[in-house]
Amino acid sequence: MLIAFLRAHINRQILVALYNFITQIRKKIQSLFPSSSMSDSTELDSTPFDPLEPSIPISYPIKTLEELDSRAYFDSFHFPFNKSSVPLPTSAVSLPNRRRLLVCHDMQGGYGDDKWVQGGSNPDAYAIWHWYLIDVFVYFSHNLVSLPPPSWTNAAHRHGVKVLGTFLAEWEEGRQTCNKLLETEESARKYAERLAELSVALGFDGWLINMEIKLDVAQIANLKEFVRHLTQIMHLSLPGSLVIWYDAITVYGQLKWQDQLNENNKPFFDICDGIFVNYTWKNSYPKLSASVSGNRKHDVYMGIDVFGRNTFGGGQWNTSVALELLKNEDVSAAMFAPGWVYETKQPPDFQTAQNSWWNLVEKSWGIMNYYPKMLPFYSNFDKGHGYHISVEGGQLKDTPWNNLSCQEFQPCLEFTNDPTETIQVLVDAKEASYSGGGNITFRGFLEDDSYFSKRLFHGEFDLGDQPLHITYSVKSNGESLLGLSLQFSSSQNKRTWVLVAPKGANQLSNSFSKVITTHQVSELEADPEWVIHNGSIAMNNHILTEIRAVCYRRQPEHDGLRSEYMSYSQDNSQSCCPPKYFAILGHIAIKNSEGNSSFPPSDAWLVEAQNISISSAIGGSKIVSVKLIWQLKDGNKFLFPKYNIYLEKLENRDEGNLGGQVKGTCSYFGVAKVAAFYFSGLSVLPNTHSLRFIIQVCDSHGACQKLDDSPYFQLDVEGFEPSIT
């Protein structure tokens, strides 16, 4: 709250002085009490972090130049867990030649709920899900090197958004760091290479360089070499990568924000991929900056501070004021700290406020990214946080969680407060999920002879001669039916609407060019209330441009089909007056082959255990920690996008059981996005003979391997001697 207050009410120069004063007080306290160290939150840290020791995997920054130089990060236990697993799509490697939107994270100091690589327990963790409005995402914290947690990179890449880390030098400590970094031309090049190496190894797309210090003019030549060499080596190592300069220091070494592109900062702009202009610009500065940029006006990102510190338009709920001006001048925008919505607890709740705020951005700036762009396309609408986890219709976990790596393609829903809209549509983490922890819920009232349509996705996929095979899941109160309408555009720009829906949609035929009746699969073993719909269509040489949900009600003449739909129970507060229309969309999968998913058999995998720790606990129980890694035995480097992790505890045989081990309960434990998972502090009862760790492989269609066919590792915990191996 203090940081938010300072942002809102104190200008930068005063904040610099205040920070230096606080830093001196902290150092004085530490000199008086050397046995304790105070963090920026002034909390005592009694358990210093040792990155070499096995522990629950986390994301963390690099805080010193010595740590960067030594490449110590690559020796960390946490390094392999921090590699992003979702590559940037080929369609997003090159930035489009248009104005762009850059979003800079800066949320509560960074490395909060998002630091837990394997997921946390906060269902209200901060997230962004309006990726279709964004081109570049920067992870920012007040550390020397901010490495984006892989969860952010995975979520952003899935939507075609580039991700940058931040190199930040500020305050007196930053000045001392730069004295060493810029000591020689060789040192400048060396540290640039260290940064490029980290970006390539962890799978993110480049750097924001933020130098908020005063330098001697003699150091500028080496600073320019640092920026030039970093840009060059990034481009060579990672096509499509970006290095962006922040407008703070001038070519004369002054710490003097220009609020525009001009002769004082253009030499830095000329040797990298863009400039993030400070956010206190005036209304004429975007046009002036565009004129100075030559033919690179889209590489000028005019800053907007969402907290509103002297920013054009005032930020906050008026952020669109600045966006409108930048749109008219055809330059790019850089929104700083959109976490304002979350940090200041905007009413009525974060989910609603977040949707409302980004909806204003969409109206003023427009949609930047379109998907699907390639097949297969899959979404279970998971935002990366929720209250339960489901797999193929069966709920496996009913506890709160967060893991942004699990975020799937997010719908481009337009959020309105239109009282005439009969159906409320929202991504709802509390209603039932077919897969993951999300869904799209449709609730309201609908007349028998009408239908309601809502945009879900904007597409940009050229089908060529490929047929489409569409699968989607629905859970509803038997009278409520749900179909999908697909918009196709021909080479002559002629639009065709095709409805893919279950039987009973005849009354809608006049509203669509074609109606495809789906084949229905119900009575799922996991949850028979889910109904799976399958349909196919060939639209050769067309482009899929939009996917919409279509809500309608069963017609009386189809009463005989009621048995195909299972009723959905509402909670007690609604059971006396259920909504006239209620349906949940669980997932959508679109591919160009109707064949079933195939997975390598269990014996095709090599699963190994590392860092095994078994210790005694009270009452004869044991505490077990172990790291699992896996790969295909044939050396094939192809990895699947997700692995569900299960744990089965096998009990000892007893006198009445001659069959050996007793099979225990197989419980869902978590999800891995890389081929590794760390189990920390498992409590094992005395009668447990061994632990079986099952790795359920999942493909890009959303299908999962059967547990009985999945690779596993069995760890014997009986008769152990307390040790660490």
Side-chain angles (χ1 to χ4, degrees):
M1 292 299 293
L2 176 61
I3 298 298
F5 176 82
L6 293 176
R7 277 191 178 131
H9 299 286
I10 301 180
N11 66 34
R12 188 188 297 270
Q13 287 76 15
I14 295 176
L15 188 58
V16 169
L18 180 60
Y19 184 90
N20 287 332
F21 176 69
I22 294 174
T23 300
Q24 294 303 316
I25 292 177
R26 181 186 294 114
K27 290 180 177 179
K28 183 65 175 177
I29 294 175
Q30 290 174 339
S31 68
L32 294 174
F33 304 98
S35 62
S36 67
S37 63
M38 297 183 66
S39 69
D40 285 342
S41 62
T42 70
E43 294 178 356
L44 296 178
D45 185 2
S46 59
T47 55
F49 172 63
D50 184 351
L52 298 178
E53 288 296 316
S55 61
I56 298 175
I58 65 168
S59 298
Y60 63 95
I62 293 174
K63 296 186 177 182
T64 67
L65 205 60
E66 291 73 22
E67 185 183 353
L68 175 63
D69 188 20
S70 69
R71 303 176 73 249
Y73 186 86
F74 296 104
D75 297 323
S76 166
F77 174 81
H78 304 265
F79 163 59
F81 296 96
N82 276 279
K83 296 179 181 180
S84 67
S85 58
V86 180
L88 192 69
T90 54
S91 60
V93 169
S94 298
L95 281 176
N97 184 24
R98 55 157 172 75
R99 58 185 169 82
R100 309 166 196 133
L101 182 62
L102 178 151
V103 170
C104 194
H105 172 257
D106 189 41
M107 224 291 295
Q108 294 181 333
Y111 303 100
D113 291 307
D114 54 9
K115 76 178 180 181
W116 304 110
V117 178
Q118 294 179 170
S121 59
N122 180 12
D124 300 315
Y126 178 70
I128 288 175
W129 52 87
H130 298 81
W131 296 107
Y132 51 90
L133 304 175
I134 304 171
D135 295 291
V136 181
F137 175 80
V138 179
Y139 194 82
F140 182 92
S141 72
H142 287 278
N143 291 285
L144 180 68
V145 179
S146 295
L147 300 170
S151 57
W152 282 104
T153 306
N154 289 337
H157 277 184
R158 185 168 287 112
H159 294 83
V161 175
K162 294 178 187 286
V163 176
L164 309 184
T166 303
F167 183 84
L168 172 68
E170 60 181 350
W171 324 119
E172 180 58 29
E173 184 178 359
R175 172 66 185 266
Q176 297 303 318
T177 294
C178 283
N179 286 342
K180 185 172 183 179
L181 182 148
L182 304 174
E183 188 174 7
T184 64
E185 183 177 302
E186 290 72 24
S187 65
R189 292 167 63 91
K190 177 181 70 172
Y191 291 114
E193 291 167 7
R194 294 289 187 269
L195 292 179
E197 182 182 34
L198 283 164
S199 180
V200 172
L202 295 178
F204 60 93
D205 308 295
W207 296 95
L208 171 68
I209 305 301
N210 186 357
M211 300 290 196
E212 298 201 56
I213 52 173
K214 183 181 183 301
L215 292 177
D216 296 332
V217 68
Q219 295 174 296
I220 297 301
N222 288 340
L223 176 59
K224 290 168 68 176
E225 179 61 18
F226 171 72
V227 176
R228 186 202 64 79
H229 189 59
L230 176 60
T231 305
Q232 181 183 57
I233 197 170
M234 283 300 309
H235 289 178
L236 289 173
S237 304
L238 190 65
S241 56
L242 300 175
V243 175
I244 294 180
W245 176 260
Y246 179 67
D247 161 37
I249 194 174
T250 71
V251 289
Y252 306 106
Q254 303 163 302
L255 179 56
K256 191 173 182 181
W257 299 269
Q258 301 298 295
D259 300 329
Q260 61 183 302
L261 179 65
N262 60 23
E263 69 279 2
N264 293 325
N265 53 30
K266 189 173 183 291
F268 298 112
F269 173 78
D270 290 339
I271 56 176
C272 68
D273 299 300
I275 185 169
F276 184 143
V277 175
N278 187 49
Y279 45 76
T280 55
W281 45 269
K282 309 300 181 185
N283 61 356
S284 62
Y285 290 7
K287 186 173 184 178
L288 292 172
S289 298
S291 65
V292 172
S293 72
N295 61 354
R296 293 183 59 198
K297 63 181 179 179
H298 297 141
D299 295 334
V300 177
Y301 299 85
M302 302 297 295
I304 305 170
D305 180 54
V306 180
F307 274 82
R309 292 176 298 171
N310 300 315
T311 200
F312 184 87
Q316 302 183 15
W317 289 104
N318 293 317
T319 297
S320 58
V321 173
L323 289 173
E324 289 283 359
L325 188 147
L326 300 179
K327 178 179 178 180
N328 292 336
E329 297 296 349
D330 197 28
V331 296
S332 296
M335 294 199 308
F336 186 75
W340 169 82
V341 177
Y342 185 91
E343 291 189 57
T344 58
K345 296 180 172 59
Q346 292 297 300
D349 57 74
F350 172 58
Q351 299 286 328
T352 305
Q354 174 91 322
N355 287 332
S356 297
W357 188 86
W358 282 99
N359 190 49
L360 294 175
V361 173
E362 178 181 339
K363 287 181 177 179
S364 59
W365 192 252
I367 293 175
M368 297 289 103
N369 286 310
Y370 295 84
Y371 45 84
K373 286 189 175 181
M374 59 184 296
L375 297 183
F377 175 78
Y378 169 81
S379 182
N380 59 16
F381 321 114
D382 197 325
K383 287 183 179 178
H385 54 243
Y387 300 88
H388 59 264
I389 292 287
S390 298
V391 173
E392 295 185 327
Q395 183 172 305
L396 302 180
K397 181 178 179 179
D398 61 356
T399 55
W401 64 278
N402 66 277
N403 187 342
L404 198 55
S405 279
C406 294
Q407 188 183 91
E408 290 289 349
F409 280 106
Q410 290 300 294
C412 308
L413 293 177
E414 184 179 6
F415 294 90
T416 66
N417 294 318
D418 185 357
T420 65
E421 205 165 56
T422 58
I423 303 291
Q424 182 187 21
V425 184
L426 70 157
V427 178
D428 190 345
K430 293 185 178 180
E431 289 290 354
S433 300
Y434 177 78
S435 175
N439 61 71
I440 302 182
T441 298
F442 303 82
R443 186 196 304 271
F445 298 88
L446 196 62
E447 298 298 329
D448 289 341
D449 57 351
S450 65
Y451 73 93
F452 173 85
S453 178
K454 189 73 170 181
R455 179 191 76 195
L456 300 182
F457 297 104
H458 272 295
E460 199 175 53
F461 178 70
D462 191 341
L463 275 66
D465 58 359
Q466 301 180 86
L468 289 184
H469 300 278
I470 302 124
T471 302
Y472 66 98
S473 56
V474 177
K475 198 173 192 179
S476 71
N477 64 359
E479 300 301 312
S480 302
L481 303 184
L482 183 66
L484 299 177
S485 65
L486 312 179
Q487 184 190 70
F488 299 95
S489 178
S490 69
S491 57
Q492 293 80 32
N493 204 29
K494 181 181 178 181
R495 296 183 180 182
T496 302
W497 283 100
V498 177
L499 176 65
V500 180
K503 292 179 181 179
N506 293 340
Q507 76 273 25
L508 306 181
S509 58
N510 293 334
S511 301
F512 298 90
S513 307
K514 186 183 296 186
V515 177
I516 304 295
T517 300
T518 60
H519 166 66
Q520 300 168 30
V521 180
S522 58
E523 298 294 337
L524 292 180
E525 182 178 344
D527 185 345
E529 292 184 336
W530 284 104
V531 178
I532 312 301
H533 300 273
N534 295 313
S536 300
I537 183 173
M539 293 293 293
N540 293 354
N541 302 314
H542 280 70
I543 297 174
L544 174 60
T545 55
E546 192 167 314
I547 303 173
R548 302 181 72 90
V550 178
C551 304
Y552 61 102
R553 288 178 51 76
R554 182 188 306 281
Q555 293 296 291
E557 60 267 27
H558 295 286
D559 282 348
L561 300 174
R562 289 180 186 273
S563 61
E564 296 183 14
Y565 298 88
M566 309 303 293
S567 62
Y568 182 77
S569 300
Q570 300 296 301
D571 57 60
N572 291 335
S573 64
Q574 297 173 325
S575 60
C576 63
C577 186
K580 197 169 185 180
Y581 186 94
F582 182 85
I584 300 172
L585 180 62
H587 83 288
I588 296 176
I590 304 177
K591 53 185 180 178
N592 55 8
S593 171
E594 58 181 340
N596 294 326
S597 298
S598 61
F599 299 96
S602 175
D603 58 7
W605 293 87
L606 175 64
V607 186
E608 297 180 276
Q610 299 177 346
N611 304 108
I612 302 172
S613 170
I614 303 177
S615 58
S616 300
I618 297 174
S621 295
K622 309 173 187 71
I623 302 298
V624 178
S625 296
V626 60
K627 173 186 175 182
L628 292 187
I629 59 173
W630 54 90
Q631 62 181 343
L632 289 167
K633 292 179 180 178
D634 62 7
N636 190 333
K637 296 297 183 182
F638 173 75
L639 295 179
F640 289 83
K642 186 173 79 168
Y643 307 90
N644 291 323
I645 309 298
Y646 296 78
L647 173 62
E648 184 178 13
K649 297 180 180 180
L650 304 176
E651 298 177 2
N652 286 327
R653 58 176 175 263
D654 55 32
E655 296 179 358
N657 176 26
L658 302 179
Q661 297 175 7
V662 177
K663 197 169 185 177
T665 302
C666 183
S667 57
Y668 173 87
F669 201 86
V671 64
K673 303 297 288 189
V674 296
F677 194 87
Y678 185 66
F679 297 83
S680 177
L682 296 175
S683 179
V684 180
L685 295 176
N687 65 336
T688 300
H689 179 277
S690 57
L691 303 176
R692 179 175 292 166
F693 304 99
I694 303 173
I695 303 159
Q696 185 182 43
V697 184
C698 303
D699 68 13
S700 55
H701 305 165
C704 300
Q705 190 171 23
K706 293 182 178 179
L707 285 181
D708 290 343
D709 300 330
S710 297
Y712 67 91
F713 183 88
Q714 191 158 316
L715 177 65
D716 187 0
V717 295
E718 186 178 50
F720 78 100
E721 293 184 6
S723 62
I724 298 178
T725 61

